[in-house]
Amino acid sequence: EAGVAQSPRYKIIEKRQSVAFWCNPISGHATLYWYQQILGQGPKLLIQFQNNGVVDDSQLPKDRFSAERLKGVDSTLKIQPAKLEDSAVYLCASSLNRGPSSGANVLTFGAGSRLTVL
Amino acid sequence: AQSVSQHNHHVILSEAASLELGCNYSYGGTVNLFWYVQYPGQHLQLLLKYFSGDPLVKGIKGFEAEFIKSKFSFNLRKPSVQWSDTAEYFCAVKGPGGYNKLIFGAGTRLAVHP
């Protein structure tokens, strides 16, 4: 099966500029996640969608970050305006999510989008 | 709030040495536990998982992990590492609830020298 697709792979912008990342999950996966991975740290969940609804955005800096998942398939994460501390890899993941202890609850990750803010 | 601690940030081993990476989590209820691996230049991949049953879980490439509920631990082991095991390893935990939120540890960077 095709994996989780993300673009662009790399992006360099200056602070206060805007940037958008795109993710296409595995076909049929109801749940989509955006994680932020800062160098030297583990991935941190920014936002989680179940179909096209948000189920967790508690760690999303909503003054500058936004995300949408129209039609419950692909998703876009936007940062506007960017700050230096937003330099990170933005990971998209998806899962089937058919129940709390189902084997389908394994997350599959994309290759990530590396953002450098100068 | 749930948290995950990985004790070693960097580990350096010679080939054929044994490996054990520590992972402790903070949540006391029913959890699902995972180890993910990120090889150089590649994306995060699932190494193994624990949902229920036998606390000794076997994964790909000869890795295994043991869930010890009383110690809130899920340590990763491999009896004999290879140069190709050089990677970053992340422990992750999912607590209760139906929305599958994973909390990751900070990761352990493993370097295996020939």
Side-chain angles (χ1 to χ4, degrees):
Chain A
E1 72 184 351
V4 176
Q6 290 190 245
S7 67
R9 288 294 311 278
Y10 304 93
K11 189 75 176 179
I12 300 173
I13 61 173
E14 295 188 349
K15 59 183 179 183
R16 292 188 288 274
Q17 287 187 324
S18 63
V19 62
F21 302 113
W22 173 83
C23 172
N24 189 281
I26 292 174
S27 178
H29 279 196
T31 311
L32 185 148
Y33 315 76
W34 283 102
Y35 280 84
Q36 179 192 56
Q37 187 176 13
I38 293 172
L39 187 65
Q41 300 180 20
K44 181 184 83 171
L45 181 68
L46 292 176
I47 189 167
Q48 180 177 343
F49 294 92
Q50 181 74 14
N51 297 309
N52 60 348
V54 175
V55 298
D56 190 332
D57 63 356
S58 56
Q59 297 194 89
L60 186 74
K62 297 180 185 63
D63 57 335
R64 299 182 299 105
F65 285 65
S66 64
E68 60 183 10
R69 191 185 184 195
L70 300 176
K71 302 179 182 178
V73 181
D74 53 354
S75 175
T76 302
L77 175 71
K78 296 179 182 178
I79 308 174
Q80 183 179 13
K83 292 185 174 181
L84 296 176
E85 59 260 36
D86 298 332
S87 294
V89 176
Y90 291 86
L91 298 167
C92 181
S94 67
S95 70
L96 278 170
N97 203 34
R98 284 184 177 162
S101 293
S102 159
N105 283 353
V106 172
L107 273 65
T108 301
F109 284 85
S113 295
R114 183 179 297 276
L115 173 66
T116 301
V117 182
L118 303 176
Chain B
Q2 296 174 48
S3 65
V4 179
S5 297
Q6 292 185 240
H7 312 301
N8 312 97
H9 294 296
H10 292 93
V11 173
I12 301 173
L13 295 173
S14 298
E15 276 194 316
S18 63
L19 170 72
E20 181 160 2
L21 301 182
C23 173
N24 286 91
Y25 60 93
S26 63
Y27 185 71
T30 301
V31 292
N32 298 154
L33 296 158
F34 305 80
W35 276 96
Y36 278 82
V37 61
Q38 189 166 27
Y39 297 103
Q42 297 187 28
H43 59 276
L44 275 167
Q45 304 170 41
L46 181 69
L47 200 55
L48 49 77
K49 62 185 185 289
Y50 172 80
F51 283 172
S52 63
D54 189 344
L56 186 61
V57 179
K58 295 193 184 299
I60 61 172
K61 302 186 180 184
F63 285 91
E64 64 179 30
E66 185 174 13
F67 170 52
I68 303 179
K69 189 174 182 179
S70 61
K71 295 184 178 181
F72 300 92
S73 71
F74 189 56
N75 292 354
L76 181 71
R77 299 193 295 247
K78 185 171 184 178
S80 177
V81 294
Q82 300 173 313
W83 177 78
S84 58
D85 294 323
T86 294
E88 191 158 17
Y89 295 81
F90 294 93
C91 181
V93 62
K94 173 194 170 297
Y99 292 124
N100 211 31
K101 176 178 178 177
L102 275 191
I103 308 295
F104 282 85
T108 297
R109 193 175 294 273
L110 171 67
V112 180
H113 295 301

